[in-house]
Amino acid sequence: MASGVTASERASRKIQTAACLIIGDEVLGGKAGCKIVCVVVTEADAKRKTNSHSFAKWCFGLGISLKRVEVVEDDEAEIVEAVRRMSERYDFVVTRQVASHDDITYKSIAKAFDLPLILHDEAYALMKQLSKPKPDQAVFNWDEDSPARRAKLRMVELPTDVNRPLKEQFLFPCQDLWVPIAVVNGNVHVLPGIPRLFTQLLKGMTPSILPRLTDPEGKGIIRVSILTPLSESTVAEYLTELAARVEPKGVKVGSYPRWGKKKNVVTLVGRDKEYLETITPEVLLNVTGTLITPGKEEEIEDDEVEESK
């Protein structure tokens, strides 16, 4: 890369920033059932379980600053440009590969970093071992050349740097899954696009990530959420003054109107739990608010919320 940083250096340096690259014509084309949300989530958005949302929560819980979520179409040039730029700018990048005949993710990422696509023998062996036919399907013949077998092979033909150890480039964090996490250029992590598998592998990878965090205990970032009956315009002046006052302490103040509802949400986000606890009573008083039980932010429905006094 232009910075002169090697893939091995990227794979070992501390992780402070992250980015997520969403690839797919179905996303940009508004295909039914395909959902993508902004990472700055409102209470309504938070209920949409997407890979970007799962990744945002994962980063938040580990104290990693998610800087960017970007969507590009299934176009090689677009993918190449985006993944090169993200790998250069951020410590940890995720994208997803779809198990379909026309997916070009692996091919495009390989081209971005001038790497060949090479059959990963371990992944292929695990695929054969763990893949089970459905009750209405015939037993698959792994030894006979066929369009189906060639399609399966493409799923384990992965961007590979022959000059680096394979164990640094392909992670198998879940023993019951044959699909690996391909780590390209040291910091681009390619996960399967199926949300259940995406989340499972992300969680499985967590122990290997913890030593590389600036907070090695993985305490993450703390969010205090407050429900207020006051309108955005009513609390805006106070929150502006508060934001300027607490910013030097590393605290961000957020205000999220819930359109059509009787109550809105104010948030305080930072890493210093003790400091957040000292300013929370003041904020509760000034916004006539009630504290939302930690971990229950996504369960807000209309004006019914579990509150702690």
Side-chain angles (χ1 to χ4, degrees), residues 128-140 142 152:
K128 291 192 289 185
Q129 175 186 334
L130 298 175
S131 297
K132 305 297 182 183
K134 295 180 181 179
D136 59 342
Q137 291 179 328
V139 176
F140 187 78
W142 293 93
K152 291 180 182 294

Side-chain angles (χ1 to χ4, degrees), residues 2 54 62 73 87 89 93 100 117 123 145 151 156 201 204 216 246 262:
S54 297
L62 293 177
E73 63 179 333
S87 181
R89 293 182 182 178
V93 180
S100 65
L117 288 173
D145 183 41
V156 285
L201 285 169
V246 301
K262 295 180 180 179

Side-chain angles (χ1 to χ4, degrees), residues 12-279:
S12 60
R13 67 186 180 187
K14 289 292 184 181
I15 298 173
Q16 300 183 65
T17 62
C20 180
L21 178 62
I22 306 296
I23 302 169
D25 292 339
E26 70 277 8
V27 178
L28 295 171
K31 180 178 178 181
C34 183
K35 299 177 290 184
I36 176 74
V37 297
C38 176
V39 173
V40 181
V41 224
T42 66
E43 270 60 42
D45 290 333
K47 296 179 178 62
R48 303 174 189 173
K49 304 302 182 184
T50 63
N51 290 341
S52 58
H53 175 60
S54 297
F55 184 58
K57 288 184 64 177
W58 184 80
C59 289
F60 190 91
L62 293 177
I64 301 171
S65 179
L66 180 56
K67 294 291 189 180
R68 188 175 187 85
V69 174
E70 186 171 333
V71 185
V72 297
E73 63 179 333
D74 287 308
D75 177 85
E76 184 179 270
E78 292 281 346
I79 298 171
V80 167
E81 186 281 326
V83 77
R84 281 177 177 168
R85 170 169 40 82
M86 287 185 167
S87 181
E88 180 72 19
R89 293 182 182 178
Y90 307 108
D91 301 324
F92 192 93
V93 180
V94 299
T95 187
R96 66 99 170 105
Q97 180 265 348
V98 177
S100 65
H101 73 283
D102 59 349
D103 185 73
I104 61 171
T105 300
Y106 283 147
K107 175 185 174 184
S108 300
I109 292 177
K111 182 173 182 178
F113 302 107
D114 298 319
L115 299 174
L117 288 173
I118 298 177
L119 178 68
H120 192 284
D121 292 329
E122 182 181 356
Y124 183 48
L126 286 172
M127 175 192 282
K128 291 192 289 185
Q129 175 186 334
L130 298 175
S131 297
K132 305 297 182 183
K134 295 180 181 179
D136 59 342
Q137 291 179 328
V139 176
F140 187 78
N141 189 336
W142 293 93
D143 299 318
E144 179 182 306
D145 183 41
S146 66
R149 181 176 180 273
R150 290 194 293 272
K152 291 180 182 294
L153 286 173
R154 283 197 295 272
M155 295 164 61
V156 285
E157 290 173 346
L158 310 175
T160 305
D161 186 340
V162 297
N163 297 311
R164 298 182 60 224
L166 291 181
K167 66 179 182 180
E168 294 181 7
Q169 301 181 67
F170 306 103
L171 310 178
F172 293 87
C174 302
Q175 294 183 348
D176 58 338
L177 296 177
W178 63 260
V179 58
I181 298 174
V183 186
V184 188
N185 201 42
N187 67 344
V188 177
H189 299 72
V190 188
L191 281 73
I194 299 172
R196 176 180 62 82
L197 300 183
F198 183 96
T199 303
Q200 187 177 347
L201 285 169
L202 202 59
K203 183 178 179 180
M205 183 171 48
T206 301
S208 66
I209 295 299
L210 293 179
R212 297 175 57 197
L213 301 178
T214 52
D215 171 13
E217 296 183 6
K219 294 180 180 178
I221 305 170
I222 300 167
R223 179 191 287 116
V224 176
S225 298
I226 297 169
L227 205 62
T228 172
L230 304 181
S231 66
E232 170 78 11
S233 58
T234 302
V235 298
E237 185 174 352
Y238 166 69
L239 294 182
T240 299
E241 180 275 326
L242 174 69
R245 177 158 41 97
V246 301
E247 184 180 10
K249 295 287 189 177
V251 175
K252 291 185 178 182
V253 179
S255 178
Y256 303 96
R258 300 170 65 231
W259 305 115
K261 309 300 180 184
K262 295 180 180 179
K263 295 183 180 180
N264 301 311
V265 177
V266 170
T267 62
L268 307 172
V269 179
R271 298 176 184 270
D272 189 334
K273 182 179 180 182
E274 184 176 337
Y275 180 68
L276 286 170
E277 289 175 346
T278 63
I279 64 173

